[in-house]
Amino acid sequence: MEQTGSTNSDMLKHAANGGREGDWLRAERQLSGRGRLGREWQEETGNLYASTIITVAPDDPPATLLAMVAGIAFAKTVIDYSTAQSVLLKWPNDVMVGAAKMGGILLERQGDAVIAGFGLNIHSAPNIAGRETVALADVRPVDAQSLDAALVCEKLAFYFSDTLRLWRDSDDGEKNATNTRNPVLDSWCALAHPIGTKVSVSDVHGKPIEGQFAGLDDDGAMRLLGADGNIAIIRAGDVSLIVDKEE
């Protein structure tokens, strides 16, 4: 569609009216898109705004891992189009190039339906005070004009379907009788900031906690190694990467 308020809001309504898993909605422009913690995100024509439905069955793996499924598909899509060597996932829902945010994911649940929404800076990146942002065109300058949101969305849908299958197959008892670790977690970690990365986590009250990224818990929560040597399990919060300043 040409424009909408929010593709996630539209897909929540679509799911309630019988929408099926695998349905996608892409808009050329969003007028009231949103991110985590109620944030608004400036959205320009030519970037990617898309959402899809996942129907969660009782025998599916934990739905919390769908954030990792979405992240894996998103990062692989960006890597296919980017010439940058530093594309990575930042827990819980951002795709970064170095310290700059290129895109984000918002998951919302309604009954058995989970809506995964994706926003990707393709041709332009918003100006946000205190935050670095980057567009896909910035890291693919040679043929940036050929970048098309519809084609990017098709590639994203392919990777998402493939990773969703991995998520479901990983819970097959016969296939994984000797493997207690969900491969979705390992796949996400392989695309993310490395173990030992210094991070700062702000909780719902804005209080920062610093530590080192220590991987993911079984439900996709972040493991944070504190200065005292203890591991904290972070299931919600705003994460910033800490970059050491050169002396």
Side-chain angles (χ1 to χ4, degrees), residues 43-61:
E43 295 165 341
E44 303 294 337
T45 300
N47 291 338
L48 175 67
Y49 316 108
S51 300
T52 189
I53 300 174
I54 308 99
T55 303
V56 179
D59 58 347
D60 276 336

Side-chain angles (χ1 to χ4, degrees), residues 33 53 73 100 118 126 156 160 164 183 185 189 211 215 245:
I53 300 174
F118 301 85
L156 174 61
F160 190 85
L164 194 64
L185 297 172
C189 285
K245 296 181 179 180

